[in-house]
Every structure is written in structure tokens, then in C-alpha cells.
Amino acid sequence: MLILMFKKFFSFLLLFALFFVACFSNSDQKKSDPKILTVADKKADSLLLVYNPKKEDKFIADFVSNLHKKSGFNGNVLVAKNGKIIYEKAIGWADYLHRDSLKINSEFELASVTKTFTGVAIMQLVEAKKLNLNDNVKKFYPNFPYDGITVKLLLSHRSGMMNYVYFTDGIWKDKKKPMSNVDVMNLIAQYKPAAYAKPDTRFHYNNSNFMVLAAIIEKVTGGTYAKYVSEHIFKPSGMKNTHVYSTTQFKKIPVDVVGHDRIWKYSVVQNFLDGPVGDKGIYSTLHDLVLYDHALKTGRLLSQQSLDSAYKGHNKAINGHFNYGYGWRIFDGDKGRKVVYHTGWWHGFRHIYVRDIHKDIVIIFLGNLTNASLMHLDGLYKYLDVPVIRKGAYSGNGSLPGSDED
């Protein structure tokens, strides 16, 4: 009997020791890899998304209502401050033809806001020493026809490349067949379209830069762009409602929000240009973009050194404040004030995603009716004490819609 009791006690001690080692190992793993989410992480994330509409910020509510009524904004809006949502609203139609209303968790094509994710992915691969910012595109695609274009120049829109969106339109004959990133790379190699400028001579914003970066991600990782960002950005951020959708994989993109071009009767149907990704192609929600902001700020995705590099302007500042980093538009204010943001404009969608790093403020406007409504946000910026994210506000000339703003 004593021997049996000793065996049971020994077995209990062994199991306890194994449990303790496993817990300690998991703790160590968590400390060394912030991308692994704990129960505590998930609980903290859920608290970021708590919102009580009865406590909405009245000024913002009135502002958004007027923006909808007077300027025609249609879409989803969220403002968060110090880790708390102070206002959110889904306003208008998801699909005007079928009279479907937007919901707070509706997924929008992020358009060029996608570029921020591509930039993060590239910087992750740099941290993992799988590529270098000074790597030439020819290292990954030897038949690439341009000399002197590096990863760094693509990230900062200094490659001088032409915009593939316009270049391929007259070449891709079967418009019912979507292009992939590799298809575009092959077309560039075959036709060698004239560059806009010599590499590293000037800032020239265009989609080709980030389409090529996505192609490089696929070459380096041996998988799809969608797989990489899902595993290395969406999952570590807790973004469960964010996806990469390409017409090369989906005949019809599986979301309910339809883009509309200027007037309601013109809904925009996805076409062959919705095949390439990296410059666009990520679909997400207001709440997931809040989680993305949090993951960036808490080091889940990149080291602070990489973030500092991405948030540094790598071009000549416009109006003394506006610049472009690695996948982020930048506003540098006085006394180290840093605001990073990105606009988006594609096939009936128009957005702005603003992150005031200094004051911990997030402003998100996701619109699916292309108009000039997002040019009228100055009053909101001033109310929140955020720099006015409109270049013309600092020169008195006004901002031209579409002028290097997607």
C-alpha cells in the first residue's frame, strides 16, 4: 500500500513539474515572441472595442451627421482616444442598388491603406534578415528591366516607375481574366514601359511600387502575399475580419460593401485590375483597424527601431510637414509631434486612416461613395487637436483631389 501511494505521489509530482515547465516555457516564449497572443492579450484587445453609443461624443456625432447630409459622406467612421472608442457609426448604404445598409462590422476594400500592411510585411522580412532594404529588384526578378531600383526606393515611392494601372490597360487583352502580380511583372519585363523618372531622383507616388513589393514578398517567402500577411500581421493583431481578396482567387469578392463612383447609380464592379495586391486588395473593418493600430504600438508586429524608420520621412517635406516614409504618409509637427496616416481611393472606395502617435488618437473614415467629402474634415481635426491632414491647409491653395493622394 505504501509503495502504491508513493508511486501515485511521485506521478503527481512529475505531472506538476511538467506543468510548471510548460508554463515557464510558454512564458519565456511569450516574452521572446510578442506575436504569440495570450489570454490576457485577447482580453485587452476586446476592451479596446467596447463602445457605449449613449456616451458618444456629441460634437463628433453632429460633425459626422453634417458631413453625411451636406457633403455626401457615406461609410463607416470611428474615433478612438487613449485606447477607448469615443465615437463610431455606420452611416448610409453598403449597396445602393439592393438598398443594403452598412453595419459597423462591414468589410471595406481598403484601397491604398493596404500599402501600410505591405510596408509592415517588408520591414518584418528585413528584421528576419530575409531581405535587405538595399536589395535590388533584379535580385528577386532577374528579368526586371530597370536598373538601380531597390526595396527602399519602392517603399518610399522613389523608384521612378510608371503606374501599372495605366500601362496594362491597353495590353491586357482579355479583360475578363484577372491579372496577378506575377502577370504584371512579366508584362513589365516584356514591354519595358518608359519610366517616369530616374531612380531616387524624386517622389512619385504610384501603385507599381507596392505591387512589386508584394511580388517580392511572395518570392522571398515562397507563398502568397495573402498567406504571409494573414499569418504575420492579421493573426498577431487579432484581426479576425480582415482578408486579402484578389479576383485571381475570387470570381466575386465575398463582401457586401460595394464601391460607388460619385453618384449612386454607378456601382463599381471588380475587374482584372483587382487581381494584383499589395498596393490594394486588403479588406477590413473599423474595429480591426483599431486592433492594427494597437498591435503596432505594442510591438507585436515590428521593433521600435523598424517603426522609427518606417515613420521617418524619406522625401523632401511638402509645406514643411508632409512626407512619406515606408508605406506611411507622415505629418511631422512641432516638438516631435508625429502623425502617420494613409489615404485610399480605388473603384468607388475612398478612405483616410489617421494615427496620432503623440496623442494616441485614431481617426478612421471608410467610404464607399467616391466624392470630396473627406476634404472637409478640418473641423474634426481641430476639435481633436490633431494636425489638419490636408496639404492645402498649410499653403492656402486648397488640395486637389487625387493629386498624389490616390
Side-chain angles (χ1 to χ4, degrees):
M1 178 65 73
L2 286 173
I3 294 174
L4 183 61
M5 289 178 64
F6 177 77
K7 285 183 177 180
K8 287 183 178 180
F9 180 70
F10 181 77
S11 297
F12 172 78
L13 284 178
L14 182 61
L15 287 172
F16 179 79
L18 290 172
F19 175 76
F20 179 79
V21 169
C23 290
F24 184 77
S25 175
N26 285 340
S27 176
D28 272 2
Q29 188 178 32
K30 173 60 187 171
K31 288 178 181 177
S32 63
D33 190 355
K35 297 183 180 66
I36 299 175
L37 301 188
T38 65
V39 173
D41 288 329
K42 294 175 182 178
K43 182 178 180 180
D45 287 352
S46 67
L47 293 176
L48 290 171
L49 307 180
V50 172
Y51 176 65
N52 183 354
K54 293 181 180 179
K55 296 183 180 180
E56 69 178 12
D57 185 293
K58 298 302 181 184
F59 177 91
I60 301 177
D62 290 342
F63 182 90
V64 171
S65 178
N66 286 329
L67 192 71
H68 172 64
K69 294 174 182 177
K70 297 179 180 179
S71 300
F73 175 76
N74 188 95
N76 286 6
V77 183
L78 183 145
V79 179
K81 187 174 183 178
N82 297 325
K84 294 183 179 180
I85 298 173
I86 60 175
Y87 179 80
E88 67 178 28
K89 183 76 171 181
I91 185 165
W93 303 110
D95 180 353
Y96 182 75
L97 179 63
H98 296 95
R99 297 300 195 273
D100 292 335
S101 297
L102 285 165
K103 301 176 181 63
I104 208 67
N105 60 348
S106 292
E107 279 189 49
F108 288 72
E109 152 69 277
L110 292 185
S112 286
V113 177
T114 296
K115 292 179 172 69
T116 70
F117 291 88
T118 304
V120 168
I122 288 290
M123 296 305 290
Q124 286 180 338
L125 293 172
V126 170
E127 286 188 351
K129 301 188 185 308
K130 294 184 178 180
L131 58 78
N132 189 287
L133 288 174
N134 292 316
D135 282 340
N136 195 295
V137 177
K138 287 178 178 288
K139 176 180 178 180
F140 312 101
Y141 291 89
N143 60 350
F144 190 68
Y146 309 111
D147 294 321
I149 296 181
T150 63
V151 170
K152 179 167 61 176
L153 296 182
L154 294 170
L155 281 170
S156 54
H157 290 292
R158 296 185 63 82
S159 72
M161 289 183 67
M162 76 300 137
N163 194 333
Y164 80 88
V165 171
Y166 307 117
F167 155 67
T168 58
D169 189 50
I171 294 174
W172 193 256
K173 301 301 181 183
D174 186 358
K175 297 297 192 291
K176 293 182 179 180
K177 179 184 176 183
M179 296 186 300
S180 67
N181 289 59
V182 172
D183 288 329
V184 181
M185 295 297 287
N186 289 336
L187 289 175
I188 291 172
Q190 179 182 354
Y191 289 93
K192 303 176 178 59
Y196 182 83
K198 291 182 180 180
D200 205 20
T201 56
R202 60 170 295 180
F203 174 81
H204 173 54
Y205 180 94
N206 82 76
N207 288 322
S208 293
N209 295 308
F210 281 73
M211 182 281 299
V212 174
L213 286 171
I216 289 173
I217 290 169
E218 294 187 333
K219 184 61 70 82
V220 169
T221 63
T224 64
Y225 172 84
K227 180 180 179 181
Y228 182 86
V229 294
S230 176
E231 292 182 355
H232 295 272
I233 301 179
F234 304 163
K235 287 182 181 178
S237 303
M239 301 169 72
K240 297 179 181 179
N241 299 299
T242 303
H243 309 88
V244 178
Y245 289 134
S246 165
T247 49
T248 60
Q249 299 294 321
F250 297 89
K251 188 174 182 179
K252 183 183 183 303
I253 303 299
V255 297
D256 297 327
V257 184
V258 175
H260 301 82
D261 192 8
R262 290 180 174 81
I263 60 175
W264 281 117
K265 67 179 181 179
Y266 294 131
S267 60
V268 181
V269 179
Q270 288 92 6
N271 62 20
F272 73 102
L273 288 170
D274 291 286
V277 295
D279 55 324
K280 53 184 167 39
I282 290 180
Y283 289 69
S284 191
T285 66
L286 292 174
H287 286 175
D288 272 15
L289 289 175
V290 170
L291 295 176
Y292 178 43
D293 166 75
H294 181 67
L296 287 165
K297 288 187 297 193
T298 53
R300 287 188 198 173
L301 303 181
L302 288 172
S303 69
Q304 190 58 50
Q305 183 179 1
S306 292
L307 288 174
D308 289 343
S309 182
Y311 297 162
K312 178 183 177 181
H314 296 282
N315 296 281
K316 182 180 178 181
I318 300 172
N319 295 337
H321 296 284
F322 293 93
N323 214 316
Y324 202 96
Y326 292 155
W328 293 95
R329 295 186 180 277
I330 312 295
F331 182 97
D332 286 312
D334 297 331
K335 299 179 180 179
R337 182 74 175 274
K338 178 77 69 174
V339 177
V340 298
Y341 70 103
H342 216 291
T343 51
W345 189 354
W346 179 254
H347 282 183
F349 292 94
R350 195 164 189 187
H351 321 305
I352 189 164
Y353 178 46
V354 179
R355 303 172 56 231
D356 188 325
I357 306 299
H358 180 72
K359 291 209 167 185
D360 193 11
I361 295 173
V362 180
I363 303 168
I364 309 170
F365 282 80
L366 302 179
N368 66 323
L369 176 62
T370 300
N371 54 35
S373 58
L374 296 188
M375 305 295 288
H376 304 291
L377 303 182
D378 295 17
L380 177 63
Y381 295 139
K382 292 174 181 177
Y383 171 73
L384 293 168
D385 194 24
V386 172
V388 175
I389 308 301
R390 184 171 61 82
K391 295 175 184 176
Y394 295 85
S395 64
N397 297 323
S399 294
L400 296 175
S403 59
D404 114 307
E405 295 286 347
D406 310 285

